[in-house]
Amino acid sequence: MRITALAGGIGGARFLRGLRHHVQQATSDPVSGETAGTGLTEITVIGNTGDDIWIHGLRVCPDLDTVMYTLGDGIDPERGWGRLDETFRAKEELTAYGVEPTWFGLGDRDIGTHLVRTTSLNAGYPLSSVTEALCERWQPGVRLIPMTDDRAETHVIVDDPDNPGTDIALHFQEWWIRYRASLPARRFVVVGIEEAKPAPGVVDALRNADVIVFPPSNPIVSISTILAVPGIADEIRATRAPVVGVSPIISGAPVRGMADACLRASGIETSAAAVAAHYGARSSGGLLDGWLVDTSDAASTPVIEQAGITTRAVPLLMTDLDATAAMAAETLGLASRLRSTP
Ligand code: FO1
């Protein structure tokens, strides 16, 4: 059984940990229902690279690292990003020298990952090969592939705080970390996305999946950025696999992060139904066959179903591993029902 998931950072990584746990626990195949042992269930994760940034000459890939560290048990669980037992001595030294950016939390252990990645990239290895090599250490239990090996960097167009009335482009990380997404974003621009190609393995993972999952990642700067890589959305529209998404919005608000600021900038209401509509129903040219909303949003089920997306209201708060494993079970259960209905 092949499961392919698109993923951004913290929310997506937490969901994937539950998905992996559920699949490992399943006595029978989670989608086909065949008894265990009749076929290993593989999980392929297509990771967002729009958040990637050069910091002090190092290539930092926040969403890839968050998935790798979370599934490899190296993540700082409180922050949700960066390394467990982290120190920031190098950052303190850089700040003492007055070297910008001082707003980016670059941890000493994390620098180890960025040094290996940067050295490998400079030696000519593509990001997908470098990610595979880094995962050799972390053994995340999934195959993690960047959405593209090409440059595709999310920038945010905002009103210049130092010169109101003129637009400037900030790297997503500066908008997200330095300004906490407080500067109203006019729009997002993923620099280089038009020329980007799906990384090796991405098309195959979509074309040959038995189920495709959109975890509760940021729908704009994570999932939609992956979908913006030419070819990826079309592969999802054409695949035989059921496509099931999990709402990142519960009772009109994101549980963590600032997805509402991103949705607002894109003119999308912050609701489970609006995010489903943003992805669209595959039966009418969009991407989703199924959608999970939290029980608190059960009332929105009829309007989403009317749009052609089979919807289930289940608990979506990722409070612990059992909760996220239960969400994963509901996701695969819905996919299974969608597979068996013509
Ligand atoms: N997020 C913050 O809120 N503050 C930081 O200083 C910060 C540093 C950082 C370093 C490495 C990394 O992989 C992630 C980091 N993040 C930080 C999180 C990051 O901005 C977000 O996880 C994603 O880019 C959005 O999903």
Side-chain angles (χ1 to χ4, degrees):
M1 187 53 56
R2 291 189 64 174
I3 302 169
T4 298
L6 310 186
I10 300 167
R14 287 210 164 133
F15 174 83
L16 290 170
R17 198 162 159 264
L19 176 64
R20 185 189 61 185
H21 182 72
H22 170 67
V23 162
Q24 284 167 348
Q25 301 297 312
T27 50
S28 62
D29 186 285
V31 179
S32 69
E34 291 155 21
T35 51
T38 52
L40 192 68
T41 297
E42 295 166 355
I43 302 172
T44 302
V45 178
I46 299 171
N48 172 43
T49 59
D51 293 6
D52 296 4
I53 185 169
W54 286 106
I55 292 280
H56 307 305
L58 298 176
R59 191 66 178 163
V60 179
C61 300
D63 283 356
L64 296 180
D65 291 348
T66 295
V67 170
M68 184 173 74
Y69 290 157
T70 300
L71 297 181
D73 293 328
I75 198 82
D76 177 287
E78 272 63 56
R79 284 196 303 263
W81 54 265
R83 288 280 282 107
L84 192 61
D85 302 331
E86 186 59 286
T87 52
F88 294 87
R89 294 283 182 272
K91 180 180 184 302
E92 288 158 16
E93 290 303 300
L94 289 163
T95 303
Y97 282 112
V99 174
E100 290 298 338
T102 50
W103 46 264
F104 192 84
L106 194 61
D108 299 321
R109 289 182 185 275
D110 203 24
I111 286 174
T113 297
H114 310 321
L115 283 169
V116 172
R117 178 186 291 121
T118 305
T119 307
S120 305
L121 290 173
N122 291 342
Y125 293 98
L127 181 60
S128 47
S129 307
V130 176
T131 303
E132 191 176 356
L134 291 170
C135 285
E136 276 305 304
R137 169 190 175 186
W138 291 103
Q139 296 295 309
V142 303
R143 184 181 176 207
L144 176 58
I145 315 178
M147 67 189 199
T148 179
D149 280 337
D150 302 318
R151 182 170 182 260
E153 239 174 60
T154 302
H155 285 63
V156 190
I157 309 300
V158 298
D159 190 40
D160 184 351
D162 303 327
N163 186 6
T166 53
D167 279 358
I168 54 165
L170 296 177
H171 188 286
F172 169 76
Q173 292 298 339
E174 182 168 9
W175 181 70
W176 188 260
I177 298 173
R178 185 179 185 190
Y179 295 105
R180 306 306 309 157
S182 61
L183 300 179
R186 296 198 193 293
R187 67 185 188 285
F188 297 97
V189 175
V190 187
V191 177
I193 196 78
E194 295 79 13
E195 296 75 39
K197 290 181 297 307
V202 165
V203 168
D204 169 70
L206 293 170
R207 209 170 272 177
N208 298 308
D210 294 295
V211 57
I212 293 178
V213 178
F214 289 14
S217 288
N218 187 309
I220 303 300
V221 294
S222 293
I223 303 291
S224 294
T225 302
I226 299 170
L227 296 171
V229 175
I232 287 186
D234 289 342
E235 283 299 334
I236 294 174
R237 285 189 190 92
T239 186
R240 61 180 175 76
V243 181
V244 180
V246 181
S247 176
I249 304 297
I250 295 180
S251 301
V255 179
R256 271 187 77 126
M258 299 164 278
D260 46 343
C262 303
L263 287 162
R264 197 175 310 121
S266 308
I268 300 167
E269 180 197 274
T270 300
S271 73
V275 174
H278 171 65
Y279 292 139
R282 197 139 70 126
S283 52
S284 51
L287 299 168
L288 290 180
D289 300 304
W291 186 242
L292 294 186
V293 302
D294 184 68
T295 43
S296 62
D297 293 314
S300 65
T301 298
V303 71
I304 305 169
E305 294 232 318
Q306 273 153 22
I309 302 169
T310 306
T311 303
R312 293 286 179 276
V314 297
L316 290 186
L317 265 180
M318 296 191 282
T319 47
D320 57 21
L321 185 58
D322 287 343
T324 47
M327 285 166 60
E330 291 286 0
T331 305
L332 297 183
L334 179 49
S336 177
R337 281 195 292 284
L338 288 163
R339 274 165 70 91
S340 52
T341 48

